[in-house]
Amino acid sequence: MNVPHVALRDVSKIFTRKPDFAERLAIRLGLPKPPVLRAVDGVSLEVNHGEALGLVGESGCGKSTLGRIVAGVHGKSGGEFRFEGKEEAGWTAEDARRARLDIQMIFQDPMSSLNPRKRIADIIGEAPVVHGMVARADRETAVAELMQEVGLDPGYARRFPHQFSGGQRQRIGIARALAVQPKFLVCDEAVAALDVSIQAQVLNLFMDLRERRGLTYLFISHDLGVIEHLTDRVAIMYLGRIVEVGPTPEIFRKPAHPYTQALLDEAPRVGRGRRVYVPLKGELPSPLAPPPGCRFHTRCPHVMPVCKTTAPDLKPVAPGRIAACHLNDTTEQEE
Ligand code: SF4
């Protein structure tokens, strides 16, 4: 049996803040505590070796938090995280080091993720030397090779981040991630801040790297065009929960969840002929107070009484596909 590269089981992330003086007083008087933010709530997901999994949802749905948990930037509040079959709780110090180097993250805003006071040679070359992957004497050559691999002129290695364009800075971020020889990249809206023509070039770079280095990707984006172009499978997230997972072409052809359908209806996509633009109804509810039952029921055009009280489970709807919607139970019963 193939062991997934990364597997999450029932993972959650809760953000709390310390109550202020008035809130502490209120708690003492028996009033309710301030609400906690469940950014990720009971997510189970697997990413297989060499695959590109897309993670899609509106802003505030928890997808970036989930990506940061995978990349080790945030700790989880609950659930299991397995890397190459081994649960985090049982990791040795060496397992933890390997997982943290193997999984690297590419951020949306390259400028804020690069130290403006460091030269590119230091930004790219520091980590592999610190981790003993490259001898200090070989650092310059290693940096030059990485710059070339991501399409940058190695002659610019002594420059600072502000001397590059947005697209070039994103390439520097990619070279920095590749410097520690990762096998898994978490790309969080990695092309969202770039001009459309530059976006295409950076997306092509991601595809080339996948081919050349056999990388696994978790590609987080709100842009369905990017996801359709780049990924093998896609997971749809709504208010902290996964609502649908399946192969990308099938999800785009025939979504099994009304939220996925709404996202597709709303997105302008190339090569699909004339489409009627249907905006998604209503605002994303606050994750501080998610609706009971199905979290999408306040916006769903197919809402039924059961949706307001009972949260649907993720269930198989076709081979390799799961979705969480009571409509699929109804269809099953009717068949
Ligand atoms: Fe809509 Fe009900 Fe399905 Fe939720 S469970 S997506 S409210 S039909």
Side-chain angles (χ1 to χ4, degrees), residues 224 234 236 243-244 251-252 255-265 296:
L224 291 170
V234 60
I236 313 290
V243 297
E244 183 165 9
I251 295 241
F252 277 72
H257 194 283
Y259 178 57
T260 316
Q261 181 70 62
L263 287 178
L264 290 172
D265 287 345
F296 188 55

Side-chain angles (χ1 to χ4, degrees), residues 7-12 42-46 76 78-82:
L8 308 175
R9 186 174 299 260
D10 208 16
V11 163
S12 60
V43 166
S44 298
L45 198 62
E46 293 180 351
K76 55 185 168 46
E80 281 184 8
F81 176 82
R82 288 180 182 273

Side-chain angles (χ1 to χ4, degrees), residues 139-190:
R139 196 180 85 149
E140 204 174 310
T141 316
V143 168
E145 283 171 3
L146 282 162
M147 289 183 76
Q148 240 158 6
E149 184 173 5
V150 300
L152 289 168
D153 182 346
Y156 296 162
R158 305 285 304 155
R159 294 190 177 183
F160 291 95
H162 73 269
Q163 294 174 290
F164 292 86
S165 68
Q168 286 171 325
R169 281 197 288 265
Q170 195 54 294
R171 288 173 193 269
I172 296 166
I174 296 167
R176 177 182 57 180
L178 295 178
V180 291
Q181 298 158 27
K183 298 196 181 77
F184 191 125
L185 290 186
V186 177
C187 303
D188 185 9
E189 300 283 7

